[in-house]
Amino acid sequence: MSNRLRWLLAAGLAGLPLLVLAPIRQTTTVRAQGQVLWFADHEGPGEANWYQPAGVNFGGGELNSGCAGTTFTVYDNDPGTPNVVPPPDGGRFGLELRMTAPCGSETVSGTRLFRWKEPIEHPDLYYKVWYYFPRNYRLVGSLDSAFWNIFGWKSKTTDPPRNEVFWHVNVYNRPGDGSMFLQLRNAQTGEAPAPLATINVPVNQWFYLEAYYESRETASGRITIWQGDGENRTLLWDLAGVQTRFSDGWTEWYVSNYSSGLDVQPASIGIDNAEIRLP
């Protein structure tokens, strides 16, 4: 199948397995970052950056399910007001990702922004996006099935046809004060490797996730993830020797607000200044 035909395939998320903490070998060395292949500063209309270079569903796109979608956001540059200020990388516009779950007959809802052009062309890439959480949300529902997903990679195949999440980053709440934290998970096995550092998701301030991902069909891939705020960057996971896509498949990256239910409905988060780089 040609790259162009692959870019035209629709994208969706599979169900997420039970959280299982598991030891996975972690290392601490990654290569320096190189050329920017794609970026989304959202200074144009809406989510147009995600469809580059040739319109809807060519290099990427938006996929919504349940009651969810994106909204174009204008930042207030006055930090003395309660409105959102721009992220540290600047800009005046961004995207709000909003979802309500459950919603009618739909038990989960999500809005997802995908890029598949660059991961198909380059198996080893850096991915980065800024987030803004306006409040401390709490995940509700059964611990066996409740989830809130904001970042991840899918793998697709054509023969047999498969379209599933492979690795992804979820948000959970700590016991006691309910503060939010991130957890990397293997959606194929349920494994959730312990983080290298303890850090919360900040509220009412921008932070970013940055990841290095080696797309491999055998246990020879790599995933490295940092959480940062413009001044500091914390290494959360650095996993070597892991499978990161299906055999005979390809990888797609996404940013999302996708959940089985939060304590406030609708639940919104902001994103901005996403980019994909070569190593």
Side-chain angles (χ1 to χ4, degrees), residues 4 51-59:
R4 179 164 183 165
Y51 295 111
Q52 293 171 344
V56 174
N57 290 335
F58 186 83

Side-chain angles (χ1 to χ4, degrees), residues 1-11 54-60 116-117 120 156 250 252:
M1 174 180 289
S2 70
N3 283 349
R4 179 164 183 165
L5 288 176
R6 288 175 176 172
W7 300 335
L8 292 172
L9 291 174
V56 174
N57 290 335
F58 186 83
W116 48 79
K117 179 179 184 297
I120 288 172
K156 289 186 176 182
W250 64 93
E252 300 181 355

Side-chain angles (χ1 to χ4, degrees), residues 30-31 34 59 112 116 140 145 159 180 201 203 224 229 262 272:
V30 293
R31 290 177 281 179
R112 284 91 76 184
W116 48 79
V140 297
S145 58
D159 187 18
M180 300 177 293
V201 171
V203 175
T224 308
D229 59 12
L262 301 175
D272 204 359

